[in-house]
Amino acid sequence: MISPMKETILLSLGAVLLGAPLFATPQGPAPSNEQKYEKKIRKEFVKYGNWALDYDAVRQQAKEEGKLIFVYFTRSYSP
Amino acid sequence: MSKIEGRAHDDLLLTKGYGGFPTLAFMDADGEVLGQPTDRSVEAFAACRDALQVIDAVTAKAEAGDPEAKAELLLLEHSLGRVNAEAFAARAETVRGGANQAQLARIDQALVDNEVWELVGESYRGDAEAAGASMLALLDAGKRPSATGKYGGNFWGILGRWARPKGDPSLLRRIATGMREDFPDDKGMLRMANGLEEMATGLDNRDALVARQEGGEEGLEAKILLIEVELGALTLEELRKRLPAARDVATDEEKQALAQGEADMEFKQLVDSFWGGGDRSVLGKRMFDLLSGDGLAPSENIAAPMWSCLSVWASGTGEKETMRAVAAVLRKRYKDNTRVERTAKSLEDRADKL
């Protein structure tokens, strides 16, 4: 059931992974998945949209505040 | 999905039945997916959010037998991505009788959008020729998709790419006009429209030369061919068939331009096949052989993607001799080029580590 909620919590999940496109020229060791994740969540849009990153916490918040969750699944190479 | 070991809910995307990036969705507090915006625009986000706010009330009315609510419910479910094209078409027939005029127009538009989306998929799955022809048939029937990125954006982009090699100036102008009408503020779309119009102008120039040639004027074949090469309005095979006659009447400058055009088209074909699923071991070797020979190297706009192909191919062979040979031929062909030097150096570094 959907409650008549007017507000939405923004939740960004994901980031990272094998981001190097096939045509990239090899330039030393590839960054780890942890490094790619950290780089992605440091991007400006995460702060700008006040995105949350913890799925459990955001569901709890949605329950308490009567809001919907807007989820954004992304990766290191994806918009 | 971060693929970081131990990270909670890392497989959430898959458990919700999705697989691509980025994926956007609205969920409730229990994690149930309620709907997805039709594309990555503010308008689609707002439409999805607004639909979620009214859908319970509309559902209640529809269940109570209100005919307009039944039509509205179907449209809301469509905007939330909850109903596939086949189910939408079937249900549209059952609610049409009770729909108001505005709803009927929205239903018809959604049917066109669904049809376009199916053709977009067909185009990307490999049958771009058939998809482009079907899109033109839709246009001829007066059906145009919504001016959103998902529907109109894909439609006009695919149609424009499909129309270019047809060499028909009026078709190109018609598509450019449609792009401008539906996306007047979209810089990318306007750029595509400009490109189509420039091509139409070039084709007009070619047609004028062809008319003079048909009127008996001689010595025009090289000029005609050069226009077609520049516009990409012919295949490499067609070019090679017509080259001898053109060379016979070409000036030295035109001969040089024709030779460069032939080299560019050959490399472009190889690069396109390389990234388009062709046999990379064969295509990479062919590019390397061409570049190592006495023929012309491709122009700058083809050269950069060609360097990437060569780098990937050479690295993929795992042979340090090949990597070093590619580095050497790139340096020889493109002296004092920083990007080439970077590519050559990294190939050599990789070879040294083997």
Side-chain angles (χ1 to χ4, degrees):
Chain A
M1 288 297 291
I2 303 150
S3 322
M5 297 171 250
K6 291 187 191 291
E7 291 184 84
T8 304
I9 301 171
L10 302 174
L11 171 65
S12 173
L13 293 168
V16 261
L17 193 79
L18 315 156
L22 283 171
F23 51 82
T25 310
Q27 301 269 357
S32 67
N33 287 341
E34 285 81 357
Q35 287 170 322
K36 288 177 186 172
Y37 178 81
E38 289 304 322
K39 188 179 173 190
K40 184 85 182 190
I41 63 171
R42 277 199 307 272
K43 285 185 184 282
E44 198 58 30
F45 80 89
V46 178
K47 278 179 278 179
Y48 182 75
N50 197 23
W51 289 90
L53 298 164
D54 185 324
Y55 182 56
D56 292 325
V58 88
R59 278 188 301 161
Q60 184 61 35
Q61 188 187 343
K63 205 163 279 183
E64 288 168 4
E65 299 180 10
K67 291 180 177 176
L68 297 180
I69 305 167
F70 184 58
V71 194
Y72 166 44
F73 294 94
T74 185
R75 264 184 176 172
S76 59
Y77 54 79
S78 168
Chain B
M1 183 183 288
S2 66
K3 296 223 170 176
I4 296 172
E5 202 172 327
R7 187 167 178 262
H9 305 295
D10 210 39
D11 61 349
L12 186 65
L13 178 79
L14 301 177
T15 61
K16 296 298 174 188
Y18 303 121
F21 295 96
T23 290
L24 304 171
F26 281 89
M27 286 181 183
D28 64 16
D30 294 323
E32 185 190 343
V33 175
L34 305 174
Q36 284 194 281
T38 50
D39 59 40
R40 300 199 305 270
S41 65
V42 174
E43 292 77 15
F45 170 86
C48 201
R49 178 203 57 195
D50 294 349
L52 286 171
Q53 290 189 10
V54 298
I55 196 166
D56 282 353
V58 174
T59 303
K61 274 187 170 183
E63 284 172 356
D66 182 325
E68 285 192 10
K70 287 181 183 174
E72 193 60 30
L73 181 60
L74 176 61
L75 288 162
L76 288 174
E77 289 181 357
H78 181 257
S79 71
L80 291 167
R82 291 187 186 178
V83 52
N84 67 30
E86 200 179 338
F88 183 88
R91 282 177 59 190
E93 288 314 306
T94 68
V95 301
R96 259 183 198 285
N100 61 38
Q101 285 305 309
Q103 288 171 331
L104 284 174
R106 287 162 64 203
I107 288 171
D108 288 339
Q109 187 60 62
L111 287 167
V112 173
D113 287 344
N114 285 343
E115 199 171 345
V116 164
W117 190 237
E118 178 60 34
L119 293 173
V120 170
E122 186 179 330
S123 170
Y124 289 125
R125 281 193 299 272
D127 201 347
E129 180 57 35
S134 299
M135 285 181 178
L136 182 61
L138 279 181
L139 207 54
D140 287 340
K143 295 177 180 177
R144 277 161 83 143
S146 304
T148 64
K150 178 176 179 179
Y151 301 118
N154 277 302
F155 175 84
W156 291 112
I158 290 168
L159 197 54
R161 283 193 294 280
W162 172 83
R164 288 185 78 92
K166 307 290 177 224
D168 178 348
S170 64
L171 174 61
L172 294 170
R173 289 196 174 97
R174 186 175 162 206
I175 294 169
T177 302
M179 289 174 167
R180 287 182 194 287
E181 286 172 352
D182 286 2
F183 292 88
D185 302 317
D186 185 311
K187 285 180 185 165
M189 192 64 83
L190 295 177
R191 216 171 19 248
M192 270 196 278
N194 288 342
L196 293 179
E197 279 164 356
E198 281 167 18
M199 185 173 188
T201 303
L203 289 167
D204 285 344
N205 294 338
R206 179 208 57 185
D207 290 345
L209 288 173
V210 169
R212 282 165 54 190
Q213 191 179 45
E214 286 169 357
E217 191 171 333
E218 293 182 352
L220 297 175
E221 181 60 14
K223 290 180 177 56
I224 293 168
L225 208 48
L226 278 171
I227 289 177
E228 292 179 349
V229 168
E230 192 184 329
L231 296 175
L234 81 172
T235 65
L236 181 61
E237 290 67 33
E238 288 170 51
L239 171 68
R240 285 184 168 149
K241 207 179 295 176
R242 289 166 55 190
L243 265 178
R247 281 199 191 106
D248 285 347
V249 294
T251 63
D252 287 346
E253 199 180 334
E254 286 168 345
K255 279 180 190 159
Q256 177 64 26
L258 285 168
Q260 187 63 61
E262 184 186 10
D264 287 352
M265 284 183 74
E266 176 153 23
F267 275 102
K268 185 173 185 310
Q269 201 172 68
L270 291 166
V271 168
D272 288 347
S273 300
F274 191 91
W275 296 121
D279 185 339
R280 290 185 172 184
S281 61
V282 173
L283 297 162
K285 176 74 165 57
R286 175 72 183 147
M287 281 184 246
F288 174 67
D289 288 344
L290 283 172
L291 209 59
S292 306
D294 295 330
L296 291 170
S299 308
E300 203 173 330
N301 60 330
I302 312 290
M306 184 268 293
W307 303 334
S308 297
C309 294
L310 279 177
S311 174
V312 168
W313 167 70
S315 301
T317 63
E319 299 166 1
K320 51 190 175 185
E321 296 78 11
T322 304
M323 294 181 205
R324 287 182 180 133
V326 167
V329 77
L330 284 175
R331 280 202 181 98
K332 184 181 162 194
R333 286 291 197 156
Y334 300 94
K335 289 186 178 66
D336 303 323
N337 183 304
T338 319
R339 284 185 63 190
V340 162
E341 182 50 38
R342 213 166 38 230
T343 303
K345 178 75 171 57
S346 74
L347 275 172
E348 287 173 342
D349 288 348
R350 181 166 273 208
D352 289 345
K353 286 177 191 159
L354 289 174

